[in-house]
Amino acid sequence: MKNKFLSILFLFAVLITINVSCSKDDSSPTPSGGGTPPPGGSGGKTVNITDFAFSASLTVAAGTTVTWTNKGATTHTVTSDDGTSFDSGNIPPSGTYSHKFDAAGSFPYHCELHGSMQSSVTVTP
């Protein structure tokens, strides 16, 4: 009887864990590494950081939020070359950083920790 009770208790704990994991509300994500969350489903663009490279240079319309996702095993940054437009701080593995580009222009950026990692976002009006 005791083993049956423990089995039921274990199964109950597993089901609660699964339910909590599956019911996570992603409607207002909090990015790791700072920044602003991406907009609710429209107009966002993604750049993956894998190993020691940014996946793409982007051209986006003004008002677009770009989210960088660190898919590698090493901490990286997303830092504007001018040093003032945006700076993610450290983005740990699996972390993200988002920035909304409101003004038109060219925004080259790099990883502060690995200077050879460079890319850019071009924003059109």
Side-chain angles (χ1 to χ4, degrees), residues 4-95:
K4 185 175 182 180
F5 175 75
L6 290 176
S7 295
I8 291 171
L9 185 61
F10 176 77
L11 181 60
F12 182 72
V14 169
L15 290 174
I16 288 176
T17 302
I18 291 171
N19 186 41
V20 169
S21 297
C22 292
S23 65
K24 181 182 172 201
D25 179 10
D26 287 330
S27 63
S28 57
T30 303
S32 305
T36 57
S42 66
K45 297 288 184 177
T46 301
V47 175
N48 291 326
I49 306 168
T50 305
D51 299 323
F52 294 94
F54 297 107
S55 64
S57 293
L58 297 177
T59 298
V60 300
T64 300
T65 298
V66 176
T67 300
W68 289 264
T69 301
N70 186 352
K71 301 225 178 218
T74 304
T75 297
H76 296 288
T77 74
V78 175
T79 306
S80 63
D81 286 359
D82 68 11
T84 60
S85 296
F86 53 92
D87 185 2
S88 65
N90 289 339
I91 305 171
S94 300

Side-chain angles (χ1 to χ4, degrees), residues 60-65 100-105 122-125:
V60 300
T64 300
T65 298
K100 184 176 180 183
F101 289 89
D102 289 319
T122 301
V123 181
T124 59

